[in-house]
Amino acid sequence: MDNKKFDVVVVGELNVDLILNRIESFPEIGKEKLAEDMTLTLGSSSAIFASNLSALGARVTFLGKIGDDYFGQLVIDRLKEKGVDVSLIVRDPAAHTGATIVLNFQEDRAMITYPGAMNELTIKDISREVLASARHLHFSSYYLQPGIKNDVGKLFEMAKGLKLTTTFDMQWDPAEKWIIDYETILPFVDVFLPNEQELLHLTGKATVSDALQKISGKSNVVAVKMGSRGSLLLDKGKTNIQGPFLNTKVVDAIGAGDSFNAGFVFKFINGADLEECQEFGNLMGAISTTAAGGTKAFTKYGQIMKIAEEKFGYKKR
Ligand SMILES: Nc1ncnc2c1ncn2[C@@H]1O[C@H](COP(=O)(O)OP(=O)(O)OP(=O)(O)O)[C@@H](O)[C@H]1O
Ligand SMILES: [Mg+2]
């Protein structure tokens, strides 16, 4: 063990999700409708990742921005409950904590996000000391953070300079323009964690193998998430596809990708080989689909492994 205070520093966006379920019919302009069920919960991909990684047992700190308001307090409370260190979270009195309203209607959903304080995090909020307090940096949700987006290459370069290992999940681009300087970023990323669609959009290619070929001069390890088909790992020109721990009774897929990342990084920082990281990523992704939302299935390591064994027949290596 080294003398670092944290295993992982997560830099990312924070918000709450207000989820309305069992709505009479889809929203229509000028009409009021009733929902039979409502949940107000921790949202944002980076926060789900941090929570689940902490629940697995890693020492996780979070660096992000919220407003000095009620939703901000909710974010802090939920992260703390899962054991995430919140001392680096900045409360910006000039901003409101972001929120996503999720309207679930049968198999469909509509979402509206108010980014609020997510827009405000910049590279100036991140010091070398903070990065140096952890062994690993994870950055997520590139397109949701305009204040830091153009400095993400610098952030990863700084982390590598300080000998941290690094992972990056760029996530979906709501503008669907996919403008990202990946040539500057990826050389400093140890493991790039896109999903299949994101990788295809990023590269403008039609197949995963063409897409991987396109980034190959710049990327290191790449783990591509493929939903209910599992994941693909590319390491030193060799690809390895691992099928899923299939869940035929999916409650919802919210946070499956972030849980995959948490499982992968948990093994990675503990020195496991990449195939084991991939397998554990698949396993955590599958576990996430067994409960509503992105964090519910992740309480404590022992509990999580119990679900792994009972629902997916997983045996520890
Ligand atoms: N139905 C399922 N059964 C078992 N495992 C699943 C299922 N759906 C997803 N997974 C696991 O979760 C992983 C991540 O899911 P997915 O590919 O949907 O990520 P994502 O698109 O990044 O998700 P997110 O929307 O959370 O960002 C998959 O690689 C797979 O291992
Ligand atoms: Mg994702």
Side-chain angles (χ1 to χ4, degrees), residues 6-284:
F6 301 109
D7 296 314
V8 179
V9 55
V10 181
V11 175
E13 89 292 14
L14 289 166
N15 76 341
V16 296
D17 281 350
L18 178 67
I19 306 167
L20 300 180
N21 284 316
R22 293 192 280 139
I23 303 173
E24 291 172 289
S25 61
F26 217 64
E28 284 172 77
I29 287 170
K31 295 196 179 172
E32 178 167 359
K33 313 225 156 151
L34 298 179
E36 282 181 42
D37 190 29
M38 178 186 89
T39 319
L40 179 62
T41 180
L42 178 66
S44 87
S45 156
S46 307
I48 293 170
F49 167 80
S51 290
N52 295 352
L53 182 59
S54 177
L56 280 168
R59 299 167 304 161
V60 182
T61 188
F62 200 105
L63 210 164
K65 245 182 203 179
I66 52 175
D68 194 7
D69 48 22
Y70 175 75
F71 280 172
Q73 193 56 47
L74 188 140
V75 165
I76 298 260
D77 291 347
R78 289 293 109 82
L79 286 171
K80 264 189 176 165
E81 262 168 37
K82 292 289 169 91
V84 176
D85 176 83
V86 296
S87 61
L88 301 173
I89 294 179
V90 183
R91 291 195 135 195
D92 182 348
H96 297 297
T97 304
T100 299
I101 314 282
V102 184
L103 302 164
N104 278 325
F105 179 66
Q106 294 170 357
E107 300 291 286
D108 274 319
R109 62 167 65 166
M111 295 191 278
I112 296 193
T113 291
Y114 167 71
M118 277 184 222
N119 284 337
E120 309 299 327
L121 188 76
T122 70
I123 192 87
K124 292 200 190 91
D125 295 306
I126 305 166
S127 68
R128 289 171 62 82
E129 289 66 37
V130 161
L131 289 182
S133 70
R135 297 158 57 206
H136 182 93
L137 165 72
H138 180 80
F139 179 83
S140 176
S141 305
Y142 180 86
Y143 299 102
L144 293 179
Q145 301 180 87
I148 195 165
K149 179 165 107 132
N150 295 331
D151 293 314
V152 169
K154 254 188 240 163
L155 172 67
F156 275 109
E157 186 175 6
M158 189 160 47
K160 287 313 294 177
L162 293 163
K163 304 271 184 295
L164 278 79
T165 51
T166 57
T167 43
F168 175 43
D169 184 342
M170 66 179 189
Q171 296 284 14
W172 191 256
D173 177 13
E176 297 191 41
K177 295 207 165 102
W178 306 96
I179 299 164
I180 177 170
D181 186 8
Y182 67 80
E183 299 197 343
T184 325
I185 301 172
L186 292 184
F188 301 107
V189 172
D190 292 326
V191 187
F192 179 39
L193 297 159
N195 74 20
E196 195 174 7
Q197 286 309 314
E198 290 154 1
L199 179 69
L200 298 179
H201 285 300
L202 167 79
T203 53
K205 297 287 181 189
T207 65
V208 168
S209 61
D210 286 351
L212 290 172
Q213 179 64 35
K214 182 159 181 196
I215 62 169
S216 64
K218 301 293 170 190
S219 61
N220 295 298
V221 175
V222 187
V224 185
K225 289 163 277 183
M226 305 188 304
S228 59
R229 287 177 296 122
S231 59
L232 178 151
L233 184 95
L234 176 71
D235 176 32
K236 300 190 190 79
K238 231 184 89 203
T239 49
N240 178 46
I241 294 179
Q242 276 196 45
F245 289 90
L246 196 60
N247 182 10
T248 48
K249 290 185 227 135
V250 171
V251 176
D252 69 48
I254 297 171
D258 309 314
S259 304
F260 176 98
N261 295 348
F264 193 105
V265 170
F266 181 69
K267 286 287 177 183
F268 189 74
I269 58 173
N270 285 306
D273 65 50
L274 289 166
E275 285 185 17
E276 189 179 348
C277 299
Q278 182 186 9
E279 179 190 44
F280 208 66
N282 275 353
L283 182 65
M284 294 305 127

